[in-house]
C-alpha cells in the first residue's frame, strides 16, 4: 500500500473505500476483493455490485456514494469496473471528486 501511495502522491485520508463490479451474478469478484485488501481496505469498506455497468443505478454503488466524505479515498481496480460509458464515468468521477474525495485506479495508479 505504501508503494502505491508514494507513486500516486496520495496523502493519508479520512477513510478508504473500494468499489468493484462484475457484470453478472455468475461472475466472481474475488480478484477485485483481493486487490482491495492488498491495498489495505477493510472488508466493511468494500462495496461490490453484480450488475451491468450500463448505468449507475446499482445498489452498492449508491450506498457507497452516500458514505463518501471530503478527505476520503475511493479505490477501484480498473476504470471499466466503475462503468461502461465514457461520458457517464467522467460525470460520476467529477461528482465524487467535487466532494473532496480522491480516486485511485489500482491498475493505473497515476
Amino acid at each position: 500500500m505504501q508503494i502505491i501511495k508514494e507513486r500516486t502522491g496520495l496523502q493519508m485520508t479520512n477513510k478508504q473505500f473500494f468499489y468493484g463490479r462484475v457484470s453478472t451474478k455468475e461472475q466472481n469478484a474475488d480478484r477485485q476483493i483481493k486487490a482491495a485488501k492488498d491495498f489495505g481496505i477493510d472488508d466493511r469498506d468494500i462495496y461490490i455490485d453484480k450488475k451491468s455497468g450500463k448505468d449507475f443505478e446499482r445498489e452498492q454503488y449508491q450506498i457507497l456514494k452516500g458514505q463518501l466524505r471530503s478527505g476520503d479515498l475511493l479505490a477501484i481496480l480498473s476504470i471499466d469496473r466503475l462503468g461502461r460509458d465514457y461520458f457517464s464515468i467522467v460525470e460520476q468521477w467529477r461528482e465524487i471528486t467535487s466532494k473532496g474525495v480522491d480516486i485511485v485506479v489500482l491498475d493505473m495508479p497515476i
Side-chain angles (χ1 to χ4, degrees), residues 27-63:
Q27 290 179 315
N28 186 315
D30 289 350
R31 185 174 72 92
Q32 293 178 67
I33 294 168
K34 180 183 182 322
K37 290 179 180 182
D38 288 349
F39 191 70
I41 298 176
D42 293 329
D43 286 339
R44 71 177 181 271
D45 298 320
I46 297 173
Y47 293 79
I48 303 289
D49 277 310
K50 291 191 171 193
K51 192 169 181 187
S52 168
K54 69 179 179 174
D55 61 40
F56 288 88
E57 297 304 316
R58 299 178 227 134
E59 181 180 3
Q60 293 298 303
Y61 181 73
Q62 294 301 321
I63 292 169

